[in-house]
Each structure stands twice: as structure tokens, then as C-alpha cells.
Amino acid sequence: MILCEGCPDNPACHNCLTELRSGGSAQKVLPPRTVRIINLSTSEVCQAQLVTVSRTAIGLFSHEKPLHGRLEVELAGDFRIIGSGLHGIDGVPYYVIDIEKVLRRNEVLERLLLEEFHNWHMSGELDPSELLVDLKKRDDERGRLIKQELQKLSILRQIGTIFLYLFDEGKLRPLGTARAERDIEQEMHRLITDGRSSTDSYREQLVSRDGRKLFEMYASPLPDQTCGIALIDVTEAIAEERRRQRREWEIYRDILSVVTHNKLLLLNDEELFFLLRNGHKSFAMDLRAPKHLSELRRACKRALEPLGLSDKRILQFLVAVNEAASNTLKHGDGGMITVYVSSEQRMCRAVIHDQGQGIMLEELPRATLLQGYSTRNSLGAGFHVMLQYCDRVYLGSSLAGTKLILECVAPSP
């Protein structure tokens, strides 16, 4: 792309307007206006020609110096723009400045403070409190504004990677130099297009194509029919939360195991799967009503009889299974009961799987050890009976429901 010979005075030329990527809101400045530019990282000063303006960006000709990095553009005695500079057209000294903020004279910070803001934000080596030591000597309102900006920067630095976009006239445009991968931007474009009829802000989750990154997208429709978007990479935050939950789960598992003398064990789904591979399925029932309980007891008794258990031992195990099955009806919509038998190990395991919301981790000690305790969501009452009448109880609980395994082992002949 090249500039036409008469730009920027030729009204027919739209190349410089197109590079602003601001849709129909961009306009030319005729005649061009001379503005003062300050590079906030180097403090270098130069002059440039303001040739185009839009709501989110401005376009400048600069023959003196390239306009890259974070810049301050002094438009007039009253207004200044803070933004980031990008090369707009190859082979031409035309630069697009993405607008971060517009300041009036009484809102503009002193030059030293602006530089300190920039250095602290980029390096993270300065503590905000170090910049605010002498604020009492300054104007109170100005001090409040400075502290507010520092807090915003501190929050953004802790979030991690954040991308800002503007959706205008069907196009997604990044605000600044940072942008997400192409597949994420394509999915964002689809979601924004589908949600354009919404007048309220909304939130979506996006997953990268390789499944390794997770993003939170926040979209806010704006009054001028555009849409502002913030895309936050929450991959590491989610991973850390899972690590925290795993550590917490292991603590509860160890405590319950010690308190019950290794009789109540928490297992994850993978451990439950390998546990049930020892033995063959004797029967399975879909328990949906109290009338099914008697049928369950009869089927379970038939499965236990070949193990050579005493009548008392069989009765005790049936009471435990009946208690667990009853809980699925009381605290859920029923569930699936599956019984596995291993003749070699002289063992029977009854698996009760309900579709409730699971037992919250912090509720487990009370739900499993406190007599009479009950939760509304899932299994929770009668654990004292199960622990008393079973040789071992295994428990797995998640949002997919609760899996309870009652184990009965026949004594050696």
C-alpha cells in the first residue's frame, strides 16, 4: 500500500483513514496540524503532522523520528493524548497512535511522575508506596488520581496476559500491539457476531485449539454500536487453583483415613476405576423409588451367599447397602447400584452412584463422621452405619455426583 500523491490534502485518498481501522468514525485533519510528541521511555521530543483522527486512534506523519513505544501527543494547550505508536504504512513515515487516555491540563501529571509510572509498570522494580511518600505535599485530588492509576496498573500486572480489542463494523481490531493467536481471535469474532443483539455486557470462556490455554472474554456493547472486549489468559490461574484444590483434597483424605483407622478412603475417579477391575459384575440396578429397595436387598444377598459369609455378616452388609441406597432417594433422584464379586479375593463391593451435586470437600468430615448429619445435595447421612457394618468404605465425590463403594470381605476358610 502507498499513499496517493496528494495525501493528506486530497479528499479522495482514504489510505491513511483505512490504517486507523476505526470504521466510519475516522476523519482527516485539513489542513494538517503540527503537534508535539514526547517519547515517555526516552523523554525525546519531536514534532509531527496530525493528519487523521478517530475515536480510538490518530494518524501522524513524522519525518524527524519513528513513533514507536508509549507516547504523549500534545494536541493543544488544553489536551494531551497518551498512547502507543505503530508504523501504519510500509515505506511511508505514517504512524498510528492507539489512544489510551486523553487528559486535560489540570489532569496531566508532572513529567517526572509520568516517567516513573512508565518505568514501574514496565519493570515492576518500583513499589507504588515509594512514589507516594511525598504526596501530602501535593494537591490532594492529584494525589488521589495518582494512587488510583497505580492501583489499576498493579491489578493488571497480577492478572497476567490481557488483550484489548474493539469490534467495529464487523471487524475485530486490537488496541495496542499485543494480540491473541489467530484461532482465538476467530472464535472471539464468532461470539461477538452472535451476541451483537445483546445490549448487556457478557462473558464467555474460550479454549485454544490445542487445548493448552484458557481465556475469559468480557464483552461490553458501547453506545456507538461498537463493542469493547477484554480477553484475559487465565490458564495459569486455573492451574494454580486446581493444584490448591488437589492439596486440600489430599489433606482431607489423609485426615479421614487416620481418624477411621484406614476404613474410610477418598479416591479419585481413576483410582475407583482400577479398584473395580478386581472382580466381575454380579448385577446392576437403576434405583428410582423406595419399592426397589427390597429387590436390591434380595439381589445383593444372592451375590453374597457364594462367599460363605455368616447370616449375621450378610445381614449387616445388607443394612449398610440399604442405608446408602436410601440416601440416594432422600437426597437426590436415585442412582445406579452395581455389585462386583471376586471369588478369588472372597470379596464383594457394592457401588452406589447418585447424580446429586456431590458432597462439598469441607462438608466431608461432618458428612462421613458425624452421626445424623445430612446434606441436601447427595449422600450424607448414615455413614456411621456403613463404617460399622462394612470392612471398608471408598468415597469419590465431584460435580458429576457421588460414588460410594461398600466393601465386604469374607474371612479366610
Side-chain angles (χ1 to χ4, degrees):
M1 177 185 290
I2 61 172
L3 292 174
C4 65
E5 187 175 348
C7 190
D9 299 317
N10 181 4
C13 173
H14 296 285
N15 291 347
C16 51
L17 295 176
T18 301
E19 285 304 309
L20 291 187
R21 300 179 183 176
S22 299
S25 65
Q27 295 180 345
K28 287 189 178 184
V29 178
L30 298 175
R33 179 187 301 172
T34 300
V35 294
R36 185 169 177 262
I37 311 293
I38 303 173
N39 189 309
L40 295 180
S41 61
T42 65
S43 299
E44 292 182 327
V45 179
C46 67
Q47 289 189 334
Q49 296 292 310
L50 177 66
V51 292
T52 50
V53 175
S54 75
R55 185 174 57 81
T56 60
I58 60 175
L60 301 170
F61 274 122
S62 176
H63 296 279
E64 290 185 32
K65 294 181 179 295
L67 303 182
H68 298 305
R70 201 154 182 264
L71 307 171
E72 179 183 305
V73 182
E74 186 175 318
L75 296 179
D78 292 336
F79 292 98
R80 300 186 185 189
I81 283 177
I82 306 296
S84 300
L86 300 171
H87 204 149
I89 300 176
D90 291 338
V92 177
Y94 177 71
Y95 299 88
V96 174
I97 311 299
D98 279 322
I99 298 174
E100 296 177 13
K101 61 177 68 176
V102 179
L103 303 174
R104 290 182 180 273
R105 177 184 292 275
N106 58 1
E107 295 173 339
V108 177
L109 305 177
E110 294 177 6
R111 169 64 38 231
L112 177 60
L113 283 176
L114 275 175
E115 292 172 4
E116 289 176 339
F117 268 18
H118 180 68
N119 292 333
W120 170 74
H121 179 50
M122 297 300 292
S123 69
E125 295 176 357
L126 294 177
D127 186 275
S129 60
E130 295 178 6
L131 277 66
L132 302 174
V133 172
D134 298 324
L135 277 181
K136 291 183 179 179
K137 300 177 182 178
R138 308 180 190 276
D139 177 76
D140 290 341
E141 178 62 16
R142 180 179 296 175
R144 187 188 66 80
L145 291 173
I146 294 171
K147 187 173 182 179
Q148 179 177 295
E149 291 302 313
L150 285 170
Q151 289 171 338
K152 289 179 182 178
L153 290 173
S154 180
I155 292 171
L156 287 176
R157 286 181 65 246
Q158 293 181 43
I159 288 176
T161 305
I162 180 169
F163 307 95
L164 300 178
Y165 290 84
L166 182 71
F167 188 81
D168 186 16
E169 295 188 347
K171 295 182 180 180
L172 193 66
R173 184 171 72 85
L175 301 178
T177 57
R179 60 189 306 166
E181 296 177 0
R182 181 178 295 273
D183 63 307
I184 292 296
E185 288 191 349
Q186 290 174 345
E187 181 64 11
M188 288 172 60
H189 189 282
R190 184 188 68 80
L191 291 171
I192 298 298
T193 302
D194 293 345
R196 288 194 69 181
S197 58
S198 174
T199 57
D200 299 323
S201 299
Y202 54 96
R203 166 187 168 189
E204 296 282 354
Q205 283 193 342
L206 291 81
V207 181
S208 63
R209 189 167 296 167
D210 58 11
R212 295 183 179 181
K213 285 184 175 285
L214 178 65
F215 297 87
E216 292 275 1
M217 185 191 79
Y218 298 85
S220 299
L222 303 175
D224 60 355
Q225 306 304 311
T226 63
C227 184
I229 305 126
L231 182 71
I232 302 175
D233 185 345
V234 295
T235 308
E236 183 54 36
I238 296 297
E240 178 56 33
E241 176 62 17
R242 288 176 178 171
R243 287 192 290 267
R244 185 198 64 78
Q245 290 178 347
R246 178 66 186 181
R247 290 192 297 268
E248 186 178 358
W249 185 88
E250 290 174 350
I251 291 173
Y252 277 95
R253 178 196 61 187
D254 295 341
I255 291 174
L256 290 175
S257 175
V258 170
V259 171
T260 62
H261 303 287
N262 209 34
K263 202 169 185 179
L264 174 59
L265 300 177
L266 297 185
L267 299 181
N268 57 37
D269 286 341
E270 183 179 0
E271 291 169 332
L272 289 173
F273 171 77
F274 283 105
L275 180 72
L276 296 178
R277 292 182 64 183
N278 297 321
H280 69 275
K281 184 190 295 185
S282 178
F283 71 90
M285 283 185 58
D286 190 15
L287 185 71
R288 297 299 170 187
K291 63 182 180 181
H292 296 152
L293 291 173
S294 59
E295 181 184 347
L296 170 65
R297 291 193 296 270
R298 289 193 296 269
C300 191
K301 183 178 181 182
R302 289 194 297 269
L304 289 168
E305 287 174 343
L307 298 179
L309 295 164
S310 65
D311 291 343
K312 179 180 178 181
R313 190 73 188 91
I314 291 177
L315 177 60
Q316 289 175 334
F317 191 66
L318 292 180
V319 169
V321 172
N322 189 82
E323 182 69 29
S326 298
N327 282 333
T328 67
L329 297 173
K330 292 177 185 177
H331 308 290
D333 297 323
M336 177 65 67
I337 315 294
T338 309
V339 172
Y340 296 84
V341 176
S342 173
S343 300
E344 296 80 8
Q345 296 178 305
R346 299 174 57 78
M347 178 188 300
C348 176
R349 291 191 177 111
V351 183
I352 299 93
H353 183 195
D354 75 5
Q355 303 296 321
Q357 297 179 10
I359 304 175
M360 299 297 291
L361 193 58
E362 58 269 21
E363 296 286 340
L364 276 175
R366 283 175 291 181
T368 56
L369 302 177
L370 184 61
Q371 185 169 346
Y373 184 83
S374 175
T375 64
R376 295 180 58 188
N377 296 332
S378 181
L379 298 174
F383 268 89
H384 64 287
V385 173
M386 302 174 208
L387 289 172
Q388 182 179 358
Y389 290 152
C390 297
D391 291 297
R392 186 165 291 169
V393 177
Y394 302 93
L395 177 65
S397 185
S398 67
L399 293 177
T402 301
K403 286 183 181 178
L404 186 67
I405 300 180
L406 308 182
E407 183 178 278
C408 179
V409 181
S412 300

